[in-house]
Amino acid sequence: MTTIGIIGGGRAATLHADAALQMRGIDLIGVGGRPGSADRLASDAGVSNLALPLLCEADLVVIAVPPSEVSDVAGLVANEILRGSPVRAVMIEPPLRSLPVLSVPTVLAANLLHAPVVKQALRAIAAMQAPHHLQLRVRQPAPTWGAHGTPAFGGPLHDPGIRLAPLLLAAAAETAVHVEQVEIGGGVHAAIELESGRRVGLDVAWTEGPAQIELEVADDGGVILLTLDPFPHLEIDGRHIEPPDLHPLDALGFVGQLDRLSRTADGADPWPSTATGLAIEALFDLAANGP
């Protein structure tokens, strides 16, 4: 049995806790965070609300706290590991502006990369011949808590842009080296230059209503369209690919993400790495604020 502790009490922490409770071989030992939200999550999940040192008695730790707290909390976890806690792998929710060095593998929380339909889409994209069009379009309501997602934090380019950029870069299968942003009606268009010189696009905006996410890829032979409304759906050349019948947390990749974290603790490569998240953050910061 692999144990897991979750630091945080908000929406992301709740989804990770629900996913852990769905999985065989994973034992959620507790959650912890701010008074109130963590108490409610612990009660709903049927586990204890634990202080951080006790959460670090788990094999796996998930850090799902507001962006302004990520670095400090990661530092506390790093200290517990140095003191001999048994933590073997850590997953951290983006955005990531800075992180201390942890002596165990760390991965970026990017649940969609672990969703079965998204993985199927990425395989289909990898089989295309030199796609000439690759664009991710995202519309969602503005976050309302703390400074996260407000103009002071970076606007829609940072949330949802940074959270979903790993999906775009996974489809491109290249590293981003430069980002240019242009404001468009109610949002931002980011032109992302890749190592090869190819460019891909990310259009993000804050709007009313449900979130709308579309990844569109085209080569000379066809078009692939991946949509989330709210679960992933795939079309290849206009043909709808029937998705598997899965629990919502599995369909959205939360279960697969924790499974990968567990395998990372056992020696699998950390993917996606927190280094990727930090690099994306730095590029988008430069695009938003200039050198």
Side-chain angles (χ1 to χ4, degrees), residues 50-65:
L50 301 176
L52 185 143
L54 292 176
L55 292 172
C56 289
E57 290 300 311
D59 300 307
L60 313 174
V61 166
V62 175
I63 299 175
V65 298

Side-chain angles (χ1 to χ4, degrees), residues 98-121:
S98 64
L99 281 180
V101 175
L102 282 83
S103 58
V104 300
T106 58
V107 299
L108 183 72
N111 60 287
L112 288 178
L113 293 184
H114 304 273
V117 172
V118 173
K119 292 167 70 175
Q120 183 181 6

Side-chain angles (χ1 to χ4, degrees), residues 73 97 211:
V73 171
R97 292 203 154 177

Side-chain angles (χ1 to χ4, degrees), residues 20-288:
L21 294 171
Q22 291 286 329
M23 299 175 66
R24 293 181 178 178
I26 294 287
D27 179 24
L28 177 62
I29 67 167
V31 301
R34 292 178 175 177
S37 60
D39 290 329
R40 288 190 294 272
L41 176 54
S43 176
D44 291 344
V47 297
S48 298
N49 182 358
L50 301 176
L52 185 143
L54 292 176
L55 292 172
C56 289
E57 290 300 311
D59 300 307
L60 313 174
V61 166
V62 175
I63 299 175
V65 298
S68 61
E69 300 174 16
V70 167
S71 182
D72 288 343
V73 171
L76 294 173
V77 172
N79 288 339
E80 292 298 324
I81 294 171
L82 289 175
R83 293 189 184 104
S85 83
V87 174
R88 295 188 289 128
V90 176
M91 182 168 70
I92 306 177
E93 278 284 341
L96 312 177
R97 292 203 154 177
S98 64
L99 281 180
V101 175
L102 282 83
S103 58
V104 300
T106 58
V107 299
L108 183 72
N111 60 287
L112 288 178
L113 293 184
H114 304 273
V117 172
V118 173
K119 292 167 70 175
Q120 183 181 6
L122 293 175
R123 289 193 296 269
I125 293 167
M128 298 178 85
Q129 298 297 316
H132 54 73
H133 172 77
L134 177 52
Q135 182 164 312
L136 179 63
R137 294 185 293 270
V138 186
R139 301 291 183 268
Q140 76 166 41
T144 57
W145 52 277
H148 185 34
T150 66
F153 187 76
L157 187 62
H158 283 256
D159 185 357
I162 281 178
R163 286 192 296 103
L164 292 171
L167 173 59
L168 180 63
L169 296 179
E174 287 192 58
T175 300
V177 297
H178 184 67
V179 178
E180 293 180 359
Q181 75 160 34
V182 177
E183 291 190 8
I184 55 177
V188 174
H189 172 75
I192 302 174
E193 183 180 344
L194 307 175
E195 283 182 315
S196 66
R198 184 166 59 120
R199 285 196 168 202
V200 299
L202 173 61
D203 287 331
V204 291
W206 289 338
T207 60
E208 299 298 327
Q212 298 176 327
I213 303 171
E214 296 181 334
L215 177 67
E216 187 175 63
V217 191
D219 66 3
D220 291 338
V223 177
I224 292 175
L225 179 65
L226 175 69
T227 62
L228 286 93
D229 56 355
F231 302 108
H233 293 273
L234 176 62
E235 288 185 12
I236 299 179
D237 299 333
R239 178 172 57 91
H240 177 69
I241 308 300
E242 190 66 27
D245 184 16
L246 298 170
H247 187 281
L249 291 169
D250 203 345
L252 288 170
F254 286 98
V255 170
Q257 183 170 243
L258 289 185
D259 178 68
R260 179 61 185 246
L261 180 63
S262 179
R263 288 188 287 120
T264 297
D266 291 333
D269 290 336
W271 180 84
S273 69
T274 50
T276 299
L278 287 166
I280 291 172
E281 177 81 34
L283 281 173
F284 278 48
D285 264 344
L286 187 62

